Amino acid sequence: MNRSSYRHSRRLVVAASTGIVLTALLAGCGGAGGTVASSATGGAADTQGKASAACGAVPTIAPKDPDGAVKALPADLRKAYNAYGEDVFASAWRDKKKLGRPAKVGLSYLPASNAFAASVVKQLDASFAAAKAKGLVQGTLVKRIMTDPATMTPAEQIRGYNELVDSGVDIIYITPLSGDAMVSAVDAAGKKGVVTVALSSTIRSKYAVNVAENSYLNVARPAALVAKQLDGKGNVVVVRGFQGLSTETIGYKAVKDVLAACPDMKVLGEVNGAFVPPVAKAELLKFLSSHPQKIDMVAQLGVMGSGVYAAFDSTGRKVPKVVDAGASASSLASWKKLAAADGYETAGTGGNGTQEAKAWFTVGMMVMGGEGPKVGTITREPSVITKANLADYLPAGATPSDLGEVMDGEAWMPQAYLDQFFDHPAAPATN
C-alpha cells in the first residue's frame, strides 16, 4: 500500500477510483499502502480515541478492536496497531484444522504495472514453487490478474475472484481494488471453506486474513521525526494522495495530528498529488509559483517523494525536508545527493514487493496448516529510514530518475514475527 512509485503518465488519473486505487494499493505499505479500502461505504477510515503526543512524537490512538483481538496480543505486537484505521476482527480461521493434503491456490491481483507489483507476482510464483516442492500445494497457481489499470473495476475483480472459488481452490491470495467491495464475496467464499489472504489492503470480513502496513504510522513516524529535526518550527506544505481512499484519509489524519502538537509549524497550503509522482510534481510547481515563502517541510502521504524532489529541482529553490513515506530508489537517490552536498537530513519509510510477497504467502500457508491466526489483520511498525540507515535502502547506482524499489533494509515480517500471531506456529519454511 504504498513504496514503489507508480510511474505512469497523467492519463491514468482519469481512472479515478479504479486506476488510482492501484497506485495507492501497490505503494502499500512500507509506504502509503497499508489499509486501502474505499471509505465511501461507511467510515472505515475513522480512527478511535484522541491523538496525544508532544511535538516531534507519534500520537497514541486506540485501534478499532471490536472483538478484543488486538488487546489479547502481546504488548510488543500491540504497538504496531497504534491508530490502525480499520476494524481488526478476530479470525474465523483460528480453529481451522490442517487441510491434510496439498492446497489448491488462486491469485486475484491487479495489473503488474510497476516494480512493486512485478516483484510481488515474481515472488509469489517462486514461493508457490518452493511450497509445491515441499508438498504443501498442488497443480499450478491459478491466476486472475486484471490487465488494464485505466479500465479495471471492483466488479471485474469480483467476477475473477468468484471464478477462482468455483474452480475449487482452497485459498485465494488477493490485493483488492476495493476492500469494501470484496466483503460479500469473501464472506460467501469463507462459508464454503475458502480462505482469503489480502496484501496491502484490509477486507473487513472475518473470513479474510489481512497482511498490511499501518497507514497511520507510515506517515506519522517520519513526519514526527522531521518535525523534531526542525525543532517544531517552520512552514509546511502537504501533498495529499487520491482523496476518498481510506489510506489517504488515514495518512492525512496522521500529518494533521503530528502538526497539531507543533504550534510553531504553519501549513502554507495543500496540493493534490493523487499518489502519482508526475502529478505531485506538476501540482507542486503550480503552488510554488504563487508561494515565494521559505518552505521547511513537505509532508507527502506516500510514493510521491520523487515528484516533490523533482519539483524543487526544477525551480532551483532550496529543497525542504521531504517526509518520504513510501520511499523509492529515485527519492532516496535525491536524498543522498543533497546529503552529500550540504548535509541534508530527513526521514521516510521503506519496503518492497519481494519482502511483502514472502510474508503474504507464508501467512496463507500457516492458516492452511491449521496454525490458528489470532487476529484477522497482521500488521507491523514501519521500517523508518534515516541518515543512519539510508545506505541499507538505497540500491547501488540508483539515480533521481531510477524507477525501481528500495532495498530490503530490514526484514519486513520474518517468520519469528509472524509466529507470534498464531496459536500453534509450526514455522514452515515456505519462503
Side-chain angles (χ1 to χ4, degrees):
M1 233 147 94
N2 166 111
R3 41 199 56 65
S4 71
S5 300
Y6 192 58
R7 310 284 180 175
H8 289 268
S9 66
R10 179 67 177 90
R11 66 182 175 82
L12 289 181
V13 177
V14 301
S17 62
T18 54
I20 294 299
V21 176
L22 172 65
T23 305
L25 275 173
L26 298 190
C29 296
T35 56
V36 186
S38 170
S39 61
T41 57
D46 294 336
T47 51
Q48 294 180 328
K50 184 177 180 180
S52 174
C55 183
V58 177
T60 298
I61 304 174
K64 292 182 175 181
D65 187 23
D67 299 329
V70 175
K71 185 177 180 180
L73 292 173
D76 283 349
L77 297 184
R78 292 200 301 270
K79 293 187 297 183
Y81 293 87
N82 178 24
Y84 195 84
E86 306 277 357
D87 293 303
V88 180
F89 298 117
S91 177
W93 306 114
R94 188 164 189 175
D95 296 322
K96 178 179 172 59
K97 303 299 183 183
K98 184 175 180 179
L99 185 59
R101 59 170 172 78
K104 298 178 181 178
V105 184
L107 171 65
S108 174
Y109 202 60
L110 309 175
S113 302
N114 59 25
F116 178 87
S119 295
V120 166
V121 174
K122 180 180 180 181
Q123 181 57 50
L124 208 65
D125 282 333
S127 293
F128 180 87
K132 187 174 182 179
K134 296 178 175 64
L136 299 175
V137 300
Q138 61 176 289
T140 59
L141 179 60
V142 186
K143 299 176 181 178
R144 293 295 185 273
I145 299 178
M146 293 181 287
T147 58
D148 188 348
T151 61
M152 64 186 178
T153 64
E156 178 188 357
Q157 185 170 43
I158 291 170
R159 283 195 296 272
Y161 175 91
N162 287 334
E163 288 175 2
L164 290 172
V165 174
D166 292 342
S167 74
V169 298
D170 302 297
I171 180 172
I172 298 174
Y173 290 93
I174 185 171
T175 288
L177 184 59
S178 167
D180 282 350
M182 291 299 309
V183 171
S184 293
V186 171
D187 282 347
K191 291 172 183 177
K192 295 178 181 178
V194 179
V195 174
T196 299
V197 186
L199 177 67
S200 299
S201 169
T202 294
I203 300 174
R204 292 184 298 140
S205 166
K206 65 180 180 179
Y207 294 105
V209 180
N210 305 296
V211 181
E213 284 277 14
N214 184 322
S215 296
Y216 187 96
L217 294 183
N218 273 327
V219 176
R221 288 283 298 274
L225 282 174
V226 171
K228 187 174 183 179
Q229 291 168 8
L230 291 168
D231 294 323
K233 301 175 182 179
N235 292 329
V236 182
V237 175
V238 179
V239 180
R240 300 194 62 172
F242 192 82
Q243 294 174 45
L245 302 179
S246 69
T247 187
E248 203 278 342
T249 304
I250 294 166
Y252 184 52
K253 175 174 170 53
V255 167
K256 290 195 297 182
D257 288 347
V258 168
L259 295 179
C262 303
D264 293 325
M265 299 194 77
K266 177 184 178 183
V267 177
L268 295 179
E270 301 176 355
V271 300
N272 294 316
F275 289 125
V276 182
V279 176
K281 175 184 176 182
E283 295 303 312
L284 188 53
L285 283 172
K286 294 177 186 177
F287 180 89
L288 294 176
S289 68
S290 59
H291 290 78
Q293 303 99 317
K294 178 188 177 184
I295 297 173
D296 301 285
M297 170 181 171
V298 175
Q300 63 86 26
L301 303 189
V303 308
M304 299 173 289
S306 60
V308 175
Y309 282 116
F312 279 89
D313 186 57
S314 296
T315 64
R317 290 176 60 167
K318 181 177 176 61
V319 180
K321 292 180 180 290
V322 178
V323 177
D324 201 11
S328 65
S330 172
S331 62
L332 294 189
S334 294
W335 177 353
K336 181 182 179 182
K337 182 179 178 180
L338 291 166
D342 62 8
Y344 178 85
E345 181 180 4
T346 187
T349 52
N352 60 55
T354 299
Q355 290 178 301
E356 297 195 19
K358 287 181 179 180
W360 187 30
F361 190 83
T362 298
V363 166
M365 291 297 98
M366 293 176 77
V367 175
M368 299 310 293
E371 297 182 37
K374 300 175 183 178
V375 293
T377 297
I378 297 173
T379 191
R380 68 189 292 273
E381 295 187 83
S383 298
V384 178
I385 306 174
T386 66
K387 66 177 182 179
N389 63 1
L390 177 60
D392 295 334
Y393 291 87
L394 179 63
T399 69
S401 60
D402 198 299
L403 302 184
E405 295 187 281
V406 300
M407 295 173 63
D408 287 359
E410 67 177 2
W412 195 70
M413 286 188 185
Q415 186 69 63
Y417 182 77
L418 293 176
D419 284 349
Q420 299 176 78
F421 292 91
F422 288 80
D423 287 323
H424 315 292
T430 58
N431 60 7

mmCIF file of all heavy atoms in Angstrom, residues 215-249:
data_model
loop_
_atom_site.group_PDB
_atom_site.id
_atom_site.type_symbol
_atom_site.label_atom_id
_atom_site.label_comp_id
_atom_site.label_asym_id
_atom_site.label_seq_id
_atom_site.Cartn_x
_atom_site.Cartn_y
_atom_site.Cartn_z
ATOM 1 N N SER A 215 -1.124 2.324 7.882
ATOM 2 C CA SER A 215 -1.069 3.552 7.089
ATOM 3 C C SER A 215 -0.820 4.793 7.934
ATOM 4 O O SER A 215 -0.172 5.735 7.480
ATOM 5 C CB SER A 215 -2.377 3.721 6.311
ATOM 6 O OG SER A 215 -2.554 2.682 5.390
ATOM 7 N N TYR A 216 -1.356 4.811 9.131
ATOM 8 C CA TYR A 216 -1.167 5.965 10.017
ATOM 9 C C TYR A 216 0.301 6.092 10.420
ATOM 10 O O TYR A 216 0.921 7.147 10.271
ATOM 11 C CB TYR A 216 -2.052 5.816 11.251
ATOM 12 C CG TYR A 216 -2.060 7.031 12.163
ATOM 13 C CD1 TYR A 216 -3.064 7.983 12.070
ATOM 14 C CD2 TYR A 216 -1.071 7.204 13.125
ATOM 15 C CE1 TYR A 216 -3.080 9.099 12.906
ATOM 16 C CE2 TYR A 216 -1.069 8.309 13.966
ATOM 17 C CZ TYR A 216 -2.075 9.257 13.847
ATOM 18 O OH TYR A 216 -2.068 10.362 14.682
ATOM 19 N N LEU A 217 0.878 5.004 10.911
ATOM 20 C CA LEU A 217 2.261 5.062 11.367
ATOM 21 C C LEU A 217 3.230 5.294 10.216
ATOM 22 O O LEU A 217 4.293 5.903 10.415
ATOM 23 C CB LEU A 217 2.626 3.773 12.109
ATOM 24 C CG LEU A 217 1.901 3.518 13.427
ATOM 25 C CD1 LEU A 217 2.418 2.240 14.077
ATOM 26 C CD2 LEU A 217 2.059 4.698 14.385
ATOM 27 N N ASN A 218 2.896 4.813 9.021
ATOM 28 C CA ASN A 218 3.774 5.008 7.874
ATOM 29 C C ASN A 218 4.007 6.483 7.574
ATOM 30 O O ASN A 218 5.042 6.853 7.024
ATOM 31 C CB ASN A 218 3.182 4.326 6.633
ATOM 32 C CG ASN A 218 3.590 2.881 6.528
ATOM 33 O OD1 ASN A 218 4.680 2.504 6.917
ATOM 34 N ND2 ASN A 218 2.696 2.067 6.008
ATOM 35 N N VAL A 219 3.030 7.303 7.903
ATOM 36 C CA VAL A 219 3.183 8.743 7.702
ATOM 37 C C VAL A 219 3.579 9.434 9.000
ATOM 38 O O VAL A 219 4.443 10.313 9.014
ATOM 39 C CB VAL A 219 1.881 9.346 7.144
ATOM 40 C CG1 VAL A 219 2.001 10.860 7.014
ATOM 41 C CG2 VAL A 219 1.552 8.741 5.781
ATOM 42 N N ALA A 220 2.956 9.042 10.103
ATOM 43 C CA ALA A 220 3.203 9.720 11.379
ATOM 44 C C ALA A 220 4.648 9.574 11.848
ATOM 45 O O ALA A 220 5.236 10.542 12.367
ATOM 46 C CB ALA A 220 2.250 9.185 12.450
ATOM 47 N N ARG A 221 5.225 8.393 11.688
ATOM 48 C CA ARG A 221 6.587 8.182 12.181
ATOM 49 C C ARG A 221 7.597 9.117 11.502
ATOM 50 O O ARG A 221 8.330 9.840 12.188
ATOM 51 C CB ARG A 221 6.998 6.721 12.014
ATOM 52 C CG ARG A 221 6.318 5.745 12.954
ATOM 53 C CD ARG A 221 6.902 5.777 14.362
ATOM 54 N NE ARG A 221 8.295 5.404 14.413
ATOM 55 C CZ ARG A 221 8.752 4.147 14.500
ATOM 56 N NH1 ARG A 221 7.890 3.137 14.532
ATOM 57 N NH2 ARG A 221 10.043 3.912 14.562
ATOM 58 N N PRO A 222 7.677 9.124 10.159
ATOM 59 C CA PRO A 222 8.652 10.038 9.549
ATOM 60 C C PRO A 222 8.280 11.508 9.710
ATOM 61 O O PRO A 222 9.158 12.362 9.853
ATOM 62 C CB PRO A 222 8.666 9.618 8.076
ATOM 63 C CG PRO A 222 7.351 8.951 7.849
ATOM 64 C CD PRO A 222 7.034 8.268 9.148
ATOM 65 N N ALA A 223 6.978 11.822 9.720
ATOM 66 C CA ALA A 223 6.560 13.213 9.888
ATOM 67 C C ALA A 223 6.986 13.737 11.260
ATOM 68 O O ALA A 223 7.453 14.883 11.394
ATOM 69 C CB ALA A 223 5.055 13.344 9.711
ATOM 70 N N ALA A 224 6.838 12.919 12.286
ATOM 71 C CA ALA A 224 7.232 13.333 13.636
ATOM 72 C C ALA A 224 8.747 13.523 13.728
ATOM 73 O O ALA A 224 9.229 14.471 14.371
ATOM 74 C CB ALA A 224 6.766 12.291 14.652
ATOM 75 N N LEU A 225 9.495 12.646 13.075
ATOM 76 C CA LEU A 225 10.954 12.787 13.090
ATOM 77 C C LEU A 225 11.397 14.077 12.411
ATOM 78 O O LEU A 225 12.293 14.772 12.894
ATOM 79 C CB LEU A 225 11.603 11.582 12.400
ATOM 80 C CG LEU A 225 11.674 10.291 13.216
ATOM 81 C CD1 LEU A 225 12.194 9.149 12.361
ATOM 82 C CD2 LEU A 225 12.593 10.486 14.431
ATOM 83 N N VAL A 226 10.759 14.403 11.282
ATOM 84 C CA VAL A 226 11.117 15.628 10.575
ATOM 85 C C VAL A 226 10.741 16.846 11.401
ATOM 86 O O VAL A 226 11.489 17.831 11.475
ATOM 87 C CB VAL A 226 10.455 15.670 9.179
ATOM 88 C CG1 VAL A 226 10.649 17.039 8.530
ATOM 89 C CG2 VAL A 226 11.050 14.586 8.282
ATOM 90 N N ALA A 227 9.584 16.813 12.043
ATOM 91 C CA ALA A 227 9.189 17.922 12.911
ATOM 92 C C ALA A 227 10.204 18.121 14.029
ATOM 93 O O ALA A 227 10.545 19.260 14.395
ATOM 94 C CB ALA A 227 7.799 17.655 13.497
ATOM 95 N N LYS A 228 10.705 17.026 14.549
ATOM 96 C CA LYS A 228 11.716 17.110 15.610
ATOM 97 C C LYS A 228 13.012 17.688 15.075
ATOM 98 O O LYS A 228 13.679 18.498 15.749
ATOM 99 C CB LYS A 228 11.951 15.719 16.206
ATOM 100 C CG LYS A 228 12.856 15.707 17.428
ATOM 101 C CD LYS A 228 12.913 14.317 18.038
ATOM 102 C CE LYS A 228 13.766 14.320 19.309
ATOM 103 N NZ LYS A 228 13.810 12.958 19.930
ATOM 104 N N GLN A 229 13.397 17.276 13.858
ATOM 105 C CA GLN A 229 14.611 17.825 13.242
ATOM 106 C C GLN A 229 14.517 19.344 13.083
ATOM 107 O O GLN A 229 15.522 20.056 13.155
ATOM 108 C CB GLN A 229 14.852 17.171 11.878
ATOM 109 C CG GLN A 229 15.236 15.707 11.936
ATOM 110 C CD GLN A 229 15.171 15.033 10.568
ATOM 111 O OE1 GLN A 229 14.986 15.691 9.543
ATOM 112 N NE2 GLN A 229 15.326 13.720 10.555
ATOM 113 N N LEU A 230 13.310 19.839 12.868
ATOM 114 C CA LEU A 230 13.083 21.274 12.679
ATOM 115 C C LEU A 230 12.814 21.997 14.003
ATOM 116 O O LEU A 230 12.465 23.191 13.999
ATOM 117 C CB LEU A 230 11.894 21.489 11.737
ATOM 118 C CG LEU A 230 12.120 21.094 10.275
ATOM 119 C CD1 LEU A 230 10.788 21.080 9.519
ATOM 120 C CD2 LEU A 230 13.101 22.051 9.613
ATOM 121 N N ASP A 231 12.958 21.296 15.099
ATOM 122 C CA ASP A 231 12.676 21.863 16.429
ATOM 123 C C ASP A 231 11.250 22.407 16.518
ATOM 124 O O ASP A 231 10.984 23.393 17.230
ATOM 125 C CB ASP A 231 13.678 22.971 16.766
ATOM 126 C CG ASP A 231 15.101 22.449 16.917
ATOM 127 O OD1 ASP A 231 15.260 21.334 17.444
ATOM 128 O OD2 ASP A 231 16.033 23.145 16.489
ATOM 129 N N GLY A 232 10.348 21.769 15.763
ATOM 130 C CA GLY A 232 8.951 22.149 15.848
ATOM 131 C C GLY A 232 8.631 23.505 15.261
ATOM 132 O O GLY A 232 7.610 24.102 15.608
ATOM 133 N N LYS A 233 9.451 23.999 14.334
ATOM 134 C CA LYS A 233 9.235 25.314 13.749
ATOM 135 C C LYS A 233 9.382 25.256 12.228
ATOM 136 O O LYS A 233 10.229 24.524 11.718
ATOM 137 C CB LYS A 233 10.238 26.317 14.310
ATOM 138 C CG LYS A 233 10.184 26.473 15.828
ATOM 139 C CD LYS A 233 11.282 27.394 16.321
ATOM 140 C CE LYS A 233 11.262 27.505 17.847
ATOM 141 N NZ LYS A 233 12.351 28.379 18.361
ATOM 142 N N GLY A 234 8.575 26.035 11.515
ATOM 143 C CA GLY A 234 8.753 26.148 10.075
ATOM 144 C C GLY A 234 7.456 26.100 9.296
ATOM 145 O O GLY A 234 6.374 25.851 9.842
ATOM 146 N N ASN A 235 7.583 26.358 8.006
ATOM 147 C CA ASN A 235 6.452 26.341 7.080
ATOM 148 C C ASN A 235 6.331 24.974 6.419
ATOM 149 O O ASN A 235 7.339 24.378 6.012
ATOM 150 C CB ASN A 235 6.627 27.413 6.006
ATOM 151 C CG ASN A 235 6.531 28.823 6.568
ATOM 152 O OD1 ASN A 235 5.807 29.050 7.541
ATOM 153 N ND2 ASN A 235 7.245 29.767 5.980
ATOM 154 N N VAL A 236 5.099 24.512 6.286
ATOM 155 C CA VAL A 236 4.829 23.157 5.793
ATOM 156 C C VAL A 236 3.878 23.203 4.600
ATOM 157 O O VAL A 236 2.927 23.990 4.586
ATOM 158 C CB VAL A 236 4.195 22.282 6.901
ATOM 159 C CG1 VAL A 236 3.955 20.853 6.403
ATOM 160 C CG2 VAL A 236 5.063 22.301 8.157
ATOM 161 N N VAL A 237 4.130 22.342 3.614
ATOM 162 C CA VAL A 237 3.190 22.091 2.529
ATOM 163 C C VAL A 237 2.823 20.610 2.587
ATOM 164 O O VAL A 237 3.701 19.746 2.756
ATOM 165 C CB VAL A 237 3.785 22.427 1.150
ATOM 166 C CG1 VAL A 237 2.805 22.038 0.035
ATOM 167 C CG2 VAL A 237 4.116 23.908 1.066
ATOM 168 N N VAL A 238 1.547 20.312 2.472
ATOM 169 C CA VAL A 238 1.078 18.922 2.494
ATOM 170 C C VAL A 238 0.722 18.497 1.069
ATOM 171 O O VAL A 238 -0.035 19.190 0.383
ATOM 172 C CB VAL A 238 -0.162 18.766 3.404
ATOM 173 C CG1 VAL A 238 -0.651 17.318 3.390
ATOM 174 C CG2 VAL A 238 0.165 19.209 4.829
ATOM 175 N N VAL A 239 1.279 17.375 0.621
ATOM 176 C CA VAL A 239 0.943 16.805 -0.684
ATOM 177 C C VAL A 239 0.051 15.601 -0.438
ATOM 178 O O VAL A 239 0.514 14.556 0.050
ATOM 179 C CB VAL A 239 2.197 16.404 -1.480
ATOM 180 C CG1 VAL A 239 1.792 15.821 -2.838
ATOM 181 C CG2 VAL A 239 3.108 17.614 -1.682
ATOM 182 N N ARG A 240 -1.228 15.759 -0.741
ATOM 183 C CA ARG A 240 -2.198 14.715 -0.500
ATOM 184 C C ARG A 240 -2.215 13.698 -1.630
ATOM 185 O O ARG A 240 -1.723 13.946 -2.732
ATOM 186 C CB ARG A 240 -3.582 15.321 -0.312
ATOM 187 C CG ARG A 240 -3.646 16.301 0.873
ATOM 188 C CD ARG A 240 -5.052 16.637 1.259
ATOM 189 N NE ARG A 240 -5.788 15.450 1.697
ATOM 190 C CZ ARG A 240 -7.004 15.485 2.232
ATOM 191 N NH1 ARG A 240 -7.615 16.657 2.398
ATOM 192 N NH2 ARG A 240 -7.618 14.373 2.597
ATOM 193 N N GLY A 241 -2.800 12.525 -1.346
ATOM 194 C CA GLY A 241 -2.954 11.496 -2.353
ATOM 195 C C GLY A 241 -4.318 11.594 -3.006
ATOM 196 O O GLY A 241 -4.942 12.660 -3.022
ATOM 197 N N PHE A 242 -4.808 10.461 -3.510
ATOM 198 C CA PHE A 242 -6.117 10.464 -4.151
ATOM 199 C C PHE A 242 -7.181 10.423 -3.066
ATOM 200 O O PHE A 242 -7.369 9.419 -2.386
ATOM 201 C CB PHE A 242 -6.272 9.279 -5.097
ATOM 202 C CG PHE A 242 -7.482 9.391 -5.979
ATOM 203 C CD1 PHE A 242 -7.440 10.151 -7.137
ATOM 204 C CD2 PHE A 242 -8.667 8.773 -5.633
ATOM 205 C CE1 PHE A 242 -8.564 10.280 -7.934
ATOM 206 C CE2 PHE A 242 -9.797 8.896 -6.426
ATOM 207 C CZ PHE A 242 -9.741 9.650 -7.583
ATOM 208 N N GLN A 243 -7.886 11.524 -2.903
ATOM 209 C CA GLN A 243 -8.828 11.653 -1.799
ATOM 210 C C GLN A 243 -10.062 10.777 -2.004
ATOM 211 O O GLN A 243 -10.581 10.667 -3.099
ATOM 212 C CB GLN A 243 -9.204 13.118 -1.630
ATOM 213 C CG GLN A 243 -8.003 13.959 -1.189
ATOM 214 C CD GLN A 243 -8.288 15.438 -1.154
ATOM 215 O OE1 GLN A 243 -9.319 15.854 -0.648
ATOM 216 N NE2 GLN A 243 -7.379 16.237 -1.693
ATOM 217 N N GLY A 244 -10.509 10.175 -0.907
ATOM 218 C CA GLY A 244 -11.612 9.226 -0.947
ATOM 219 C C GLY A 244 -11.153 7.826 -0.603
ATOM 220 O O GLY A 244 -11.950 6.983 -0.195
ATOM 221 N N LEU A 245 -9.831 7.568 -0.738
ATOM 222 C CA LEU A 245 -9.271 6.287 -0.316
ATOM 223 C C LEU A 245 -8.967 6.355 1.167
ATOM 224 O O LEU A 245 -8.472 7.364 1.663
ATOM 225 C CB LEU A 245 -7.981 5.984 -1.079
ATOM 226 C CG LEU A 245 -8.075 5.932 -2.595
ATOM 227 C CD1 LEU A 245 -6.704 5.642 -3.181
ATOM 228 C CD2 LEU A 245 -9.083 4.891 -3.034
ATOM 229 N N SER A 246 -9.237 5.297 1.880
ATOM 230 C CA SER A 246 -9.011 5.338 3.317
ATOM 231 C C SER A 246 -7.533 5.489 3.654
ATOM 232 O O SER A 246 -7.186 6.106 4.661
ATOM 233 C CB SER A 246 -9.595 4.108 4.010
ATOM 234 O OG SER A 246 -8.884 2.953 3.689
ATOM 235 N N THR A 247 -6.641 4.934 2.820
ATOM 236 C CA THR A 247 -5.214 5.107 3.093
ATOM 237 C C THR A 247 -4.839 6.579 3.066
ATOM 238 O O THR A 247 -4.008 7.042 3.837
ATOM 239 C CB THR A 247 -4.359 4.318 2.079
ATOM 240 O OG1 THR A 247 -3.004 4.378 2.471
ATOM 241 C CG2 THR A 247 -4.487 4.858 0.678
ATOM 242 N N GLU A 248 -5.476 7.347 2.180
ATOM 243 C CA GLU A 248 -5.205 8.774 2.080
ATOM 244 C C GLU A 248 -5.781 9.501 3.282
ATOM 245 O O GLU A 248 -5.124 10.356 3.897
ATOM 246 C CB GLU A 248 -5.818 9.315 0.780
ATOM 247 C CG GLU A 248 -5.175 10.607 0.267
ATOM 248 C CD GLU A 248 -5.706 11.847 0.959
ATOM 249 O OE1 GLU A 248 -6.783 11.791 1.593
ATOM 250 O OE2 GLU A 248 -5.029 12.899 0.874
ATOM 251 N N THR A 249 -7.009 9.160 3.650
ATOM 252 C CA THR A 249 -7.652 9.793 4.795
ATOM 253 C C THR A 249 -6.859 9.540 6.076
ATOM 254 O O THR A 249 -6.657 10.441 6.894
ATOM 255 C CB THR A 249 -9.088 9.260 4.964
ATOM 256 O OG1 THR A 249 -9.805 9.462 3.749
ATOM 257 C CG2 THR A 249 -9.806 9.948 6.100
#
